[in-house]
Amino acid sequence: MINAIKNYFQIDGASQVDWKKFAYPKRFYNALKYVHYRKSMPVEAPYYPLTVMLEVSTFCNFKCPACERELYKKDVASTGGLFKENVKLEEIKRLSALLPYVYSVYLVAGLGEPFINKDFWPIVSFLKSFDVKIGYFTNASLLDEEKIAETFRRRINTVLISMDTHERSKYEMVKEGADFDHTVSMIKLFADYKKRFSSTHPFHLGLNYIFRADNYADILPYLDFVKELGVEYVHCSSLIVHVDETRDFSFFKVPVEKKTKVFEEARKKAASLGIGLRLPNLEIDRNTRCCYPWHGISVFKGGDVATCPYFRTNRDFYYHVERDSGLIEDKRFVKNTVIGNYLKENILDIWNNERIKQIRRGELKLEPHASPCDACYYKFLLH
């Protein structure tokens, strides 16, 4: 029943809904209006976003060949190049007008590792002053027991750790600079802390698994590995092709019938092990509309606010969904979904400015798309 309510409201993805967060009038009525207007999808949304994806650093201590950072290095003309900066607490404070309405904030990896930012905990403290639900995404390389203990002391609700394989050699090849043993030990320590504090602190621990053409069948033994680690949830997505050199690793290269078989086995195994498992869709529902322009925003270093976490810059994109032919591979230049800059504009005004209305009208087919949303495969949950 709780899952049915959560899915209907579309409040959060995998983690449990913390209903206490809605005890505040602004947040409660904002969520109420969101639920009321969710299906009608008005061009001007009479509420504010429920969720904020917040990038806190563009520094990274790994060198992963398939990372979006490679796009910024290779296509400087389109992206402006790879900038390495940490978000400052004073910048985050510019979101103050919005946070009383927001349910959840996720400190995402973006182009970097969040813990490289020395303002990470001060940023968390500031966000917690609004009593929002908080989660973070990490590669685990900079974790230690002190940070894990601090995560529970500050009552952070969700942590997602990037770990794409149960095999040491593959892990350290895909994530150049990673230490397999360290990551495993930190995940086990997180699971141990979760057991100790589960009665007083609702906490959700997950792993992020990226399907590639060369690892998709590994999900079956990987689930046994996850169980041994004490993890409760695995979020699976497919590799995003950012540069030509990784095209052969795309999960879309794998025949659908092979993926279907693996997914069926994975669902059964996850259920038997008591592990939550999110898998990408394999079929296209033509009636699907993207919820991002009505649900939340992504906020990036430098102040850019986008409707979509995947299209933060103008760029080449490799896979698209055509209305007639379905999923196709075709390298095309596409525009970003940036709707404003919160360091230069009022964050509340950005939510219903002309740019986001333009994106919404395109998604509602009221006018031609002026963004990559029309042919985007993310909205069909193929990712």
Side-chain angles (χ1 to χ4, degrees), residues 273-289:
L273 294 173
I275 296 170
L277 180 65
R278 183 271 182 191
L279 295 170
N281 285 347
L282 296 179
E283 296 182 358
I284 296 169
D285 180 354
R286 301 288 182 180
N287 296 318
T288 298
R289 287 175 179 160

Side-chain angles (χ1 to χ4, degrees), residues 16 37 130 134 147 202 210 225 290:
Q16 295 176 346
Y37 289 101
F130 292 87
I134 297 180
K147 291 186 179 73
I210 298 178
F225 172 70
C290 182

Side-chain angles (χ1 to χ4, degrees), residues 109-126:
L111 294 176
E113 163 57 35
F115 278 111
I116 290 179
N117 190 339
K118 293 183 179 180
D119 268 353
F120 180 84
W121 292 120
I123 289 172
V124 168
S125 293
F126 171 71

Side-chain angles (χ1 to χ4, degrees), residues 291-309:
C291 69
Y292 280 151
W294 287 271
H295 181 78
I297 55 174
S298 296
V299 178
F300 299 108
K301 172 59 192 171
D304 279 350
V305 178
T307 59
C308 178

